[in-house]
Amino acid sequence: ESKTQTIMFTGARTGEGSSFCAVNHAVSLAVQGHRTLLIDADLRSPGLSREQLRDSSMGLGDLLSGEASAADTCVRTPVPDLYLIPSGELKSNASELLGGSRFPVLLEQAFRWFDRVVIDAPAVLGASDAQAIARYADRTRMVIGEGGSKSTELRQTAEMLRGGGAKLVSFVWNEHPTAPGDAPNLVASRTALPESSEAHALSIPQS
């Protein structure tokens, strides 16, 4: 995986533990010395980042809708070399935003500054959000929670991801409880990117 830059975590349904796995993988990359950006791409339901950044209203949805800049949304976490773009306020047009042109531009611009990007994607069944962004990840890992989705749902999820262009490379069996408090603490002040030139490197065209 030395050449893998973007990894997406998702699951069939909410509660499988994909957010927990995404956060821990991002922390692991940062600890190894890779400057890592974690993106909470669940714009419909409260995710781990929203639980931890309760004083924050700006996030990925605002960035993709052109209502905020990267400097407004990207926060530095207490983990060295780990940055976070939270999901922000809930968006009813999540599929439209994630399927638009700004998300791939965000990823392209991010690699001017970050070594790795980890995407915490929403659940696949019930909405097309994860499918909309799956093709932009170098690798997709599908998390299966103990006592979670049925085998038929898992097969359907895998087929939907592959149909959307995902490079589905592995399944992650998760036996860990998925309560928000179980994940590493990502609370940090909104210092954003440390230099204006670096923030500019993550700017998203408005047209």
Side-chain angles (χ1 to χ4, degrees):
E1 284 190 316
S2 59
K3 295 183 179 180
T4 300
Q5 292 184 305
T6 307
I7 297 180
M8 187 179 93
F9 286 82
T10 187
R13 296 190 180 280
T14 301
E16 301 280 2
S18 58
S19 293
F20 177 83
C21 292
V23 171
N24 278 280
H25 184 71
V27 170
S28 175
L29 289 173
V31 169
Q32 295 174 49
H34 302 292
R35 183 165 288 179
T36 303
L37 175 64
L38 173 62
I39 300 176
D40 184 350
D42 190 345
L43 306 183
R44 295 181 187 270
S45 60
L48 289 175
S49 69
R50 189 179 293 108
E51 285 288 332
Q52 300 195 39
L53 297 171
R54 299 189 181 191
D55 61 340
S56 171
S57 61
M58 306 296 280
L60 179 64
D62 306 285
L63 179 59
L64 297 181
S65 62
E67 300 171 359
S69 67
D72 295 327
T73 59
C74 187
V75 297
R76 189 186 317 186
T77 77
V79 180
D81 287 328
L82 179 59
Y83 289 74
L84 167 70
I85 294 182
S87 52
E89 295 290 342
L90 303 183
K91 300 291 184 182
S92 59
N93 61 335
S95 293
E96 178 183 345
L97 292 174
L98 292 169
S101 61
R102 286 183 175 139
F103 191 82
V105 171
L106 168 63
L107 295 181
E108 180 180 353
Q109 297 293 324
F111 285 113
R112 295 183 183 179
W113 200 66
F114 295 101
D115 303 316
R116 300 288 189 271
V117 173
V118 177
I119 303 172
D120 175 17
V124 174
L125 300 181
S128 60
D129 301 3
Q131 289 174 275
I133 59 177
R135 64 184 182 275
Y136 301 122
D138 297 317
R139 300 286 188 272
T140 294
R141 291 178 174 173
M142 183 174 153
V143 179
I144 303 172
E146 184 177 20
S149 301
K150 300 178 180 178
S151 59
T152 53
E153 294 176 321
L154 297 176
R155 284 195 294 270
Q156 181 185 1
T157 299
E159 291 172 359
M160 292 174 66
L161 285 170
R162 291 189 176 110
K167 301 176 183 66
L168 184 58
V169 297
S170 65
F171 298 88
V172 180
W173 177 253
N174 179 38
E175 298 179 352
H176 198 285
T178 58
D182 293 332
N185 185 7
L186 297 181
V187 175
S189 60
R190 185 166 291 280
T191 53
L193 300 177
E195 300 293 341
S196 59
S197 60
E198 290 165 345
H200 182 266
L202 281 170
S203 62
I204 305 300
Q206 299 300 306
S207 59

